[in-house]
Amino acid sequence: MPEFTLNDYNELNFFKFTSQSNIYGLKWYKKQKTDFHSLLTFTISHNQTPSELYQIEYDRDHDDHEMVQRMNGITFQKIPEKADVVCMDVFAMNSPGQLAIGIVYGTGGEAHCKYFLNIYADFDGDEDDINLNDIATCAQHFELKFSPLALFHSSVTVDQKRRHFFLLSANDSPFYLYGDGKHSFVEEPLEDYFPELVNLSGIASTLCIQMTEAETQRLCCVGCHNGLIQLTQLDLETKTILRKYTIQYDAIISRVELFCLDPLLLDNDDEADPRRRMLHLLVASPLEVSTIYEDALNKGFTSPVYLPDSDKHDVVSCGLVCDINMDGTNEVILGTYGQLLLCYKLEFTAANTEEQEEEATDPEANSFRRTLRAKLISTKRVAYPVYNLVNLDLFGDGMDELVVLTLRGIHVYQYRMDFVAELLKKRISARLEAMSAK
């Protein structure tokens, strides 16, 4: 079977905008009781064209069961017509139907701009149907005394109860924190729930938070507007920072993401290859070579793996880690303002020729002296500069679609069916051979 390339995707749909979005203009949520995901996006105001907010989703027609795509404009209450959306975020709270949507916007123009945060939350969400038009009427309004940049979310278990938070990065404080209460969100002290972020010396442009060790520890990596990157490991019970690493880049950080090579690796899988359990860190920056820091939790920023040619196609605006070729190992995709997607294969190899020769005669000799390597395996040109990427199932068929937010709209790419058919045949044959050999 031939090697997978990004050209094994077909462009299924293009949802065109009336004006451009920005790098924070692509969010998503899962529809209840299905494997479908829906997208949320916005445009920024330009000349006489106001900001607009859209929901993009696919569903089956009730009559002929054909897949139908929809791009619906959503009117969120308490957002003025001439407001300019800065960023947004969305997540499900205690059940998939309980959506929380945060929208940050400005009014008054550049000279006298005032900023606001509106939170739309359905605390009694219907498990059978999410109606965004209804949620859009449930607004909490916060006037901001600072200039915001990006909106993120996370959750914390407090007294055996899961609480959910919006984290809003700002020019005068690392983050402002808004937590869910019984039927509303309230501003709360950052140090009470995210002490590792209190002394951050930069405005956060990208954030990645993961739980480890049965949720007794939290890993947090934040990239900043001034080029600072901070990686921390926090003990959630004692609120003690166990490890902290920092590095300074020369430009804004556009993406950080913590990941393992194995996308389905379970924490209790003791038989898994230890190398596949390592936590690596992807860092993308517009003016520098994109980098993966190998085994970042133990090595910090001392073991960089550079992604070849990632600095040769205009600025890198976004990055994505996913198993794009369905081979059981994560790949890295970068999106550039130069209208190119770059796909990298990651694997462990012997560090030098001498070790390679030794390993050829004794495979176990250097199994833990191998180092992570990145290889550019394919590229794909798109019609416009790329702002953001996500890989998720929009159709509920078990296969993820590649969604690309660009300057002019959203592109949805689907696997070519002949590629999927060949892959399925190959796996069925391998399974039958394994069963017959028993």
Side-chain angles (χ1 to χ4, degrees):
M1 185 175 176
E3 185 80 13
F4 170 86
T5 74
L6 289 175
N7 292 315
D8 286 310
Y9 279 113
N10 289 326
E11 184 167 1
L12 187 65
N13 294 110
F14 173 57
F15 299 93
K16 188 176 181 179
F17 294 158
T18 54
S19 63
Q20 72 183 57
S21 185
N22 65 26
I23 62 173
Y24 302 114
L26 179 61
K27 302 296 177 179
W28 57 93
Y29 62 91
K30 189 173 182 179
K31 299 170 70 172
Q32 309 100 301
K33 296 187 177 180
T34 72
D35 292 323
F36 289 68
H37 289 78
S38 293
L39 305 174
L40 283 181
T41 185
F42 66 83
T43 61
I44 59 179
S45 62
H46 179 67
N47 295 330
Q48 299 301 314
T49 304
S51 284
E52 296 178 303
L53 295 114
Y54 297 101
Q55 175 198 35
I56 295 174
E57 63 179 356
Y58 291 82
D59 210 342
R60 296 197 181 278
D61 186 89
H62 293 298
D63 296 326
D64 55 17
H65 302 291
E66 291 290 326
M67 194 64 70
V68 178
Q69 72 271 11
R70 300 185 180 91
M71 182 175 179
N72 305 315
I74 305 294
T75 301
F76 286 88
Q77 283 195 358
K78 295 189 178 180
I79 297 182
E81 183 178 346
K82 295 184 178 180
D84 197 6
V85 177
V86 176
C87 56
M88 69 185 301
D89 201 6
V90 57
F91 61 88
M93 292 181 284
N94 295 316
S95 73
Q98 296 180 358
L99 277 191
I101 302 170
I103 300 174
V104 179
Y105 63 92
T107 61
E110 294 184 6
H112 306 285
C113 192
K114 293 184 178 180
Y115 293 101
F116 303 89
L117 166 65
N118 284 5
I119 297 178
Y120 305 84
D122 187 353
F123 290 88
D124 303 306
D126 187 339
E127 293 185 0
D128 295 320
D129 185 36
I130 294 177
N131 190 324
L132 282 191
N133 289 305
D134 288 344
I135 297 175
T137 65
C138 307
Q140 275 189 265
H141 187 68
F142 297 88
E143 183 174 354
L144 308 179
K145 305 297 184 183
F146 53 86
S147 296
L149 178 63
L151 187 64
F152 310 97
H153 70 268
S154 186
S155 60
V156 177
T157 300
V158 180
D159 297 328
Q160 299 184 334
K161 180 182 178 182
R162 181 72 92 184
R163 294 203 59 201
H164 306 272
F165 298 90
F166 283 108
L167 296 97
L168 179 58
S169 64
N171 65 330
D172 64 349
S173 177
F175 289 94
Y176 285 86
L177 191 67
Y178 302 86
D180 62 339
K182 288 186 177 181
H183 288 91
S184 64
F185 277 77
V186 293
E187 186 174 348
E188 306 209 35
L190 183 67
E191 58 270 19
D192 287 355
Y193 301 97
F194 297 89
E196 67 270 43
L197 296 174
V198 170
N199 296 316
L200 186 69
S201 56
I203 305 172
S205 54
T206 177
L207 178 68
C208 179
I209 296 177
Q210 289 192 12
M211 301 296 180
T212 62
E213 305 295 338
E215 297 197 3
T216 61
Q217 297 177 3
R218 181 171 64 213
L219 305 179
C220 180
C221 187
V222 56
C224 296
H225 195 272
N226 62 1
L228 174 72
I229 305 173
Q230 176 181 289
L231 173 62
T232 55
Q233 181 182 18
L234 180 80
D235 185 297
L236 289 170
E237 184 177 354
T238 64
K239 295 184 180 179
T240 302
I241 298 177
L242 305 176
R243 303 183 195 186
K244 180 178 178 179
Y245 306 101
T246 60
I247 191 172
Q248 183 68 51
Y249 276 55
D250 292 331
I252 184 174
I253 306 302
S254 53
R255 179 68 173 175
V256 294
E257 185 167 352
L258 292 160
F259 68 97
C260 295
L261 286 186
D262 192 334
L264 300 175
L265 188 63
L266 300 176
D267 288 339
N268 61 357
D269 188 359
D270 295 330
E271 296 181 1
D273 184 339
R275 289 188 301 268
R276 295 178 67 83
R277 300 169 66 96
M278 290 179 182
L279 211 60
H280 311 296
L281 174 63
L282 167 65
V283 174
S285 179
L287 301 183
E288 301 188 40
V289 178
S290 296
T291 305
I292 293 171
Y293 291 96
E294 180 185 348
D295 194 11
L297 189 56
N298 295 305
K299 297 181 180 180
F301 299 101
T302 62
S303 187
V305 178
Y306 300 108
L307 300 183
D309 296 337
S310 60
D311 58 341
K312 296 181 179 179
H313 306 282
D314 210 329
V315 301
V316 175
S317 52
C318 55
L320 172 67
V321 177
C322 62
D323 182 9
I324 200 73
N325 59 0
M326 296 188 284
D327 68 347
T329 299
N330 275 323
E331 285 78 40
V332 171
I333 303 179
L334 301 179
T336 74
Y337 203 80
Q339 300 174 224
L340 206 65
L341 302 179
L342 311 172
C343 183
Y344 293 88
K345 184 70 176 175
L346 308 175
E347 58 185 358
F348 280 92
T349 62
N352 53 49
T353 303
E354 182 180 338
E355 290 184 2
Q356 291 174 7
E357 292 175 350
E358 183 180 356
E359 191 171 288
T361 58
D362 183 4
E364 299 299 323
N366 293 289
S367 59
F368 292 99
R369 290 162 56 190
R370 293 180 178 182
T371 57
L372 190 65
R373 293 287 185 267
K375 177 184 177 182
L376 179 61
I377 59 172
S378 69
T379 63
K380 186 177 184 68
R381 186 158 294 280
V382 294
Y384 306 103
V386 179
Y387 281 170
N388 208 342
L389 301 165
V390 65
N391 199 51
L392 45 73
D393 188 355
L394 294 176
F395 305 147
D397 59 1
M399 293 185 297
D400 290 341
E401 281 66 50
L402 180 63
V403 181
V404 182
L405 172 67
T406 66
L407 176 72
R408 298 301 299 168
I410 287 180
H411 306 252
V412 176
Y413 295 94
Q414 186 182 43
Y415 289 108
R416 283 191 1 240
M417 288 301 103
D418 58 337
F419 168 79
V420 176
E422 284 296 319
L423 181 61
L424 183 60
K425 286 165 58 178
K426 181 180 178 181
R427 292 189 175 174
I428 290 175
S429 297
R431 182 63 176 169
L432 290 174
E433 289 179 8
M435 293 173 63
S436 62
K438 291 183 178 179

